[in-house]
Amino acid sequence: MKKAFLILCVFCIIASVSGQKKVKSPEPFGPLPTQKQIDWQEMEFYAFVHFSLNTFTNKEWGYGDESPELFNPTNLDVRQWARVVKESGMKGIILVAKHHDGFCLWPSAYTDRSVKNSPWQNGKGDLIKELAAACKEYNLKLGLYLSPWDRNNANYGKPEYITYFRNQLKELLTNYGDVFEMWFDGANGGDGYYGGANETRKINTLEYYNWDETYKLIYKIAPKTLVWGVGPSEARWIGNEEGRAGKTNWSLLRQKDELAGKVHYTEFMSGHEDGEKWVPGEADVSIRPGWFYHAVEDDKVRSLDEMVDIYYESIGRNATLLLNLPVDKRGLIHENDVARLKELVSTIKEDFKTELLAKSKVTANNVRGNSNEFVAKNVTDQNKNSYWATDDNVKSASIVFEFDKPTSINRILLQEYIKLGQRVKAFNIEAKIDGNWKTVANETTIGYKRILRIERVIASALKIHITDSKASIVISNIQAFNAPTFVHMPEIQRDKSGNVTIKSEQENPVYYTVDGSNPTQKSTLYKGVFQYNKAVEIKAVAIDAAENISSAVKTAKYGASKENWKIVKASSGDLSSVDRIIDGNPNTDWSFGNDTNKLPQEITIDMGSILNINGFTYVPQQVGNNLNLISNYEFYTSLDNVTWTLQSQGEFSNIKNNPIEQIKTFKNDKARYIRFIAKSAVGKGSTVSIAEINVIETL
């Protein structure tokens, strides 16, 4: 009898094991990532470094005629770059090896326009070699940017230039070790120096470079390198320079249509659900308004509020984050940028300090073949290669996390097992509060990683309900956190008459100063609109009264108020609304120029009194789809509206992709009248818009 019982037990065990073996893993679905793309996505956060001749000429885009002798950093330290990047939690650095002006940060054998003809290290230096060594020391990956457009090269636009371009690619990919990403900018063709020709050269971006052959060359030399940007790339631009992916973000792209010119770049924010190729998004953004260093932007480093939002709207939306750090003339990442990075790192670390689901009871209403290999608990085991999966015909299912006691939650992180494809089309999240289920989020895609910020709830259970999926559900990781309360900075506005308004979320009390000092709860309490007509630096903080937590300091600098400013003359446009460009409100704008009144067009302003100024700013139109941006300008000053001095002229580089306030500085001068001339428009249009014209006063 005992023998029969043992035989029966063995049979049951064998049957059980045999049953487990019959449960097949989910089949891959749709386009899939390569291992190279998975490794790249897992980097999540890495740095961009813009540092070149533009740093020393105070330009965003060099024209191509600048002397290499201007490149002369006084205290270049790439180890400082690497240390800052490493301490910020980033995994690599992409260096702009050559920007559009053609200056090379390595001693290229194919041009004299490089560091070998600069005073830096007596022409013996190689910045890329130094950075590669620093990256190795700090265990960072090295990436490189090589501009396809060269505004200096005399052969640009001709077949000979492609040979030159590919020769430089070979240098970069063979002389400095592994390159994790090769970055090709989409800016191609236009005006430039071109060896002295000083002309505009138009090319067909997709045809001129013969990207298929260029990519074959790259993969032959450097198969580990992921290629980003134009052509049949392995990763895509996110469609803006603000570091923000769409809430819906597929890692798929209809790349055949894109290469045929049938996809608008705005579609890159969300990708394509029906894309035939895996081309994940990279969100690029600069920590300052510009990509290259400009001293005037030292106090314009993006706020902590904005940096935190960028993190959650890039990495938290199935994209990688490429954060630009513009190195200054010394050859260092500026102290203000370093300070902001430290604040960001501290905030993100605190947000994800304690994971809450690992100790919960996890169940799902469907488990693939009822197999232990695909159980719900896999999403909390911290093993990226295990996952919860449903049966093939189950495209809607729920997973529930039950807590021992009510738990505070305001962050939820989800990841699909993307080796099998991106599947989830829609999901919602419910929290069980006081015995009742409450929906706290309704979302679409997940992909490699999705992080949700929700209002804090105290829940006894959490339910993730996948409501729609392309195929069976495959989720590798779900986590929850209770991040500290984040108090957003107040908003400061001043109108034309000098009236100052300060607003805070949830009507938190605000304290402010007007003497440049940092405000505390002992500073002046904001009680309503107040007037301040003089040049001033206003600083304010908001305080969460319930938890006594302060926001970061908001700073706003203003020159003398514009109540005495008048428009003296406008060459065209609706004169009844022209005051919009001096009303102190960047959300109002005014247009001039049309098919009859062709560019250039000009406007003259009387500032009402003589001011000491050393620059001006042009705020482009901020609201709408067609912003009618100005590309080239001239700016004049006068004391009497008769004799005029040209103070600044040139282009608003990259304004198409980065339509922010454009800042131009010049030598100190006294002026009562200013004249702004719009010489040409982005896209060669005939109408241009201005949201605001400001001057920079010498305080």
Side-chain angles (χ1 to χ4, degrees):
M1 188 68 182
K2 183 182 289 185
K3 185 176 180 180
F5 177 74
L6 289 173
I7 293 172
L8 180 62
C9 288
V10 170
F11 176 79
C12 290
I13 291 170
I14 293 172
S16 176
V17 171
S18 177
Q20 291 291 325
K21 287 181 179 178
K22 290 180 181 178
V23 180
K24 293 183 179 179
S25 298
E27 292 291 332
F29 183 88
L32 302 176
T34 62
Q35 188 59 50
K36 185 201 304 184
Q37 288 173 315
I38 292 173
D39 294 342
W40 172 86
Q41 185 109 42
E42 289 179 349
M43 288 179 68
E44 294 190 3
F45 188 22
Y46 40 98
F48 220 174
V49 170
H50 280 67
F51 177 63
S52 191
L53 273 181
N54 292 347
T55 309
F56 300 89
T57 60
N58 204 30
K59 295 179 180 179
E60 279 291 288
W61 286 5
Y63 188 66
D65 59 353
E66 304 83 5
S67 170
E69 294 181 3
L70 294 171
F71 184 81
N72 192 21
T74 56
N75 192 28
L76 179 62
D77 184 0
V78 294
R79 294 182 72 253
Q80 185 248 8
W81 307 1
R83 184 173 65 254
V84 169
V85 167
K86 185 71 173 182
E87 291 174 351
S88 302
M90 294 185 253
K91 303 295 178 60
I93 299 175
I94 297 179
L95 175 67
V96 175
K98 184 188 81 169
H99 204 249
H100 310 324
D101 61 278
F103 180 75
C104 301
L105 294 181
W106 77 102
S108 175
Y110 301 98
T111 180
D112 291 330
R113 189 171 175 75
S114 77
V115 288
K116 66 186 177 186
N117 283 313
S118 76
W120 177 61
Q121 294 191 4
N122 296 316
K124 303 298 182 183
D126 185 338
L127 201 151
I128 300 177
K129 183 178 180 180
E130 289 193 15
L131 182 60
C135 285
K136 187 174 182 179
E137 178 184 351
Y138 284 89
N139 194 26
L140 297 168
K141 293 184 178 181
L142 175 70
L144 295 171
Y145 166 123
L146 180 68
S147 172
W149 184 23
D150 191 322
R151 300 174 94 177
N152 170 268
N153 194 285
N155 287 324
Y156 183 78
K158 303 173 184 177
E160 294 89 338
Y161 175 76
I162 302 305
T163 301
Y164 170 77
F165 175 63
R166 290 177 180 167
N167 282 335
Q168 290 195 323
L169 261 178
K170 291 176 186 176
E171 288 182 316
L172 294 177
L173 293 173
T174 56
N175 295 336
Y176 302 102
D178 289 342
V179 174
F180 85 89
E181 180 173 333
M182 198 73 226
W183 214 95
F184 293 134
D185 204 316
N188 290 282
D191 62 342
Y193 178 70
Y194 302 128
N198 291 307
E199 62 187 17
T200 298
R201 296 185 179 178
K202 296 182 179 180
I203 57 112
N204 183 310
T205 303
L206 296 176
E207 294 178 2
Y208 175 56
Y209 298 98
N210 191 347
W211 286 114
D212 286 335
E213 292 302 313
T214 301
Y215 276 53
K216 287 178 183 177
L217 170 69
I218 294 169
Y219 296 143
K220 181 179 180 181
I221 298 172
K224 295 180 181 179
T225 299
L226 179 139
V227 188
W228 181 98
V230 291
S233 62
E234 296 169 282
R236 72 179 193 269
W237 181 40
I238 209 63
N240 61 71
E241 294 183 352
E242 299 170 4
R244 319 275 179 134
K247 278 190 171 185
T248 296
N249 185 16
W250 292 98
S251 293
L252 314 179
L253 194 67
R254 294 195 298 271
Q255 194 169 75
K256 291 179 181 178
D257 285 348
E258 183 212 352
L259 295 176
K262 298 178 182 179
V263 174
H264 194 265
Y265 69 85
T266 53
E267 297 175 52
F268 294 162
M269 281 189 71
S270 299
H272 296 135
E273 181 182 336
D274 60 348
E276 82 283 346
K277 189 175 178 183
W278 189 278
V279 191
E282 175 186 84
D284 60 325
V285 65
S286 183
I287 200 168
R288 295 170 173 235
W291 291 94
F292 283 94
Y293 175 82
H294 310 286
V296 72
E297 294 179 354
D298 282 350
D299 63 350
K300 292 180 171 58
V301 179
R302 291 184 191 271
S303 68
L304 177 61
D305 294 45
E306 193 173 3
M307 293 304 302
V308 170
D309 285 347
I310 286 169
Y311 181 92
Y312 278 104
E313 293 179 27
S314 56
I315 294 171
R317 290 183 177 175
N318 189 37
T320 60
L321 174 55
L322 176 60
L323 178 63
N324 181 61
L325 306 174
V327 169
D328 64 22
K329 291 182 179 180
R330 298 172 299 174
L332 301 173
I333 299 172
H334 193 273
E335 295 83 350
N336 294 2
D337 302 24
V338 175
R340 181 67 74 245
L341 282 171
K342 287 181 178 178
E343 291 178 332
L344 174 65
V345 169
S346 176
T347 299
I348 297 303
K349 280 186 177 179
E350 285 299 312
D351 282 6
F352 300 103
K353 187 175 182 179
T354 305
E355 203 286 309
L356 302 172
L357 300 184
K359 295 181 180 180
S360 66
K361 179 184 177 183
V362 191
T363 56
N365 62 359
N366 182 272
V367 172
R368 186 176 185 84
N370 291 317
S371 168
N372 289 332
E373 186 179 353
F374 306 113
V375 292
K377 191 67 176 175
N378 287 348
V379 301
T380 62
D381 66 2
Q382 298 185 340
N383 179 356
K384 67 180 182 181
N385 291 315
S386 68
Y387 49 86
W388 163 54
T390 63
D391 292 319
D392 283 337
N393 61 339
V394 176
K395 301 176 183 179
S396 176
S398 297
I399 185 167
V400 176
F401 305 86
E402 297 178 77
F403 304 109
D404 291 336
K405 59 182 179 180
T407 302
S408 296
I409 296 172
N410 61 6
R411 300 286 187 275
I412 300 166
L413 183 155
L414 307 97
Q415 293 184 274
E416 289 186 79
Y417 187 70
I418 60 172
K419 286 185 178 181
L420 297 178
Q422 186 178 0
R423 300 162 178 246
V424 174
K425 297 171 64 175
F427 68 98
N428 62 48
I429 299 176
E430 296 179 60
K432 198 169 190 178
I433 304 169
D434 296 329
N436 299 310
W437 287 105
K438 177 185 177 182
T439 300
V440 296
N442 277 296
E443 298 295 341
T444 53
T445 53
I446 296 175
Y448 165 73
K449 180 174 285 188
R450 186 71 190 274
I451 309 173
L452 304 179
R453 290 179 288 181
I454 64 171
E455 292 293 326
R456 182 179 284 116
V457 295
I458 301 175
S460 58
L462 193 70
K463 181 191 295 183
I464 314 294
H465 181 42
I466 309 299
T467 57
D468 194 10
S469 182
K470 289 182 171 184
S472 60
I473 299 162
V474 181
I475 304 293
S476 64
N477 184 33
I478 301 177
Q479 297 178 320
F481 305 86
N482 182 32
T485 297
F486 188 87
V487 183
H488 288 278
M489 294 188 303
E491 295 181 7
I492 305 174
Q493 293 181 337
R494 192 181 75 168
D495 66 15
K496 178 180 178 180
S497 299
N499 295 314
V500 179
T501 303
I502 308 179
K503 299 178 180 178
S504 66
E505 64 174 12
Q506 299 177 343
E507 299 183 356
N508 287 325
V510 173
Y511 297 86
Y512 70 93
T513 62
V514 293
D515 61 1
S517 63
N518 286 331
T520 67
Q521 292 187 52
K522 295 181 180 180
S523 303
T524 304
L525 174 66
Y526 176 75
K527 296 181 179 179
V529 178
F530 65 92
Q531 193 171 59
Y532 207 102
N533 295 323
K534 300 177 183 178
V536 65
E537 181 178 56
I538 302 173
K539 293 186 175 183
V541 293
I543 307 292
D544 183 299
E547 300 186 45
N548 196 30
I549 299 174
S550 173
S551 72
V553 175
K554 174 70 174 182
T555 301
K557 285 186 176 181
Y558 299 100
S561 59
K562 298 178 180 178
E563 71 265 27
N564 295 322
W565 285 34
K566 296 179 181 178
I567 307 298
V568 175
K569 177 185 176 183
S571 55
S572 65
D574 180 5
L575 299 183
S576 66
S577 60
V578 69
D579 280 353
R580 290 177 182 174
I581 70 172
I582 56 172
D583 65 0
N585 184 356
N587 292 320
T588 63
D589 59 84
W590 176 81
S591 301
F592 61 164
N594 50 43
D595 290 337
T596 302
N597 300 291
K598 296 186 179 297
L599 299 177
Q601 295 290 313
E602 65 183 58
I603 190 157
T604 303
I605 300 171
D606 177 2
M607 298 185 291
S609 61
I610 295 175
L611 302 177
N612 291 313
I613 63 175
N614 66 346
F616 81 98
T617 77
Y618 155 57
V619 181
Q621 180 182 341
Q622 299 294 299
V623 180
N625 294 322
N626 184 9
L627 301 182
N628 296 318
L629 302 167
I630 298 169
S631 61
N632 289 75
Y633 73 93
E634 290 178 355
F635 186 85
Y636 296 81
T637 62
S638 174
L639 289 169
D640 56 9
N641 198 22
V642 176
T643 303
W644 291 90
T645 301
L646 175 63
Q647 299 287 5
S648 181
Q649 64 179 332
E651 65 182 353
F652 296 124
S653 304
N654 200 34
I655 193 172
K656 177 181 178 181
N657 296 320
N658 200 22
I660 60 173
E661 182 177 21
Q662 306 293 305
I663 304 169
K664 299 294 180 179
T665 58
F666 44 79
K667 291 182 179 179
N668 292 347
D669 192 33
K670 291 185 176 181
R672 172 167 175 167
Y673 299 89
I674 57 175
R675 177 172 293 162
F676 179 67
I677 300 178
K679 295 196 69 178
S680 60
V682 170
K684 308 303 178 185
S686 55
T687 299
V688 292
S689 291
I690 302 172
E692 203 75 18
I693 293 289
N694 301 304
V695 294
I696 301 171
E697 288 187 69
T698 308
L699 300 177

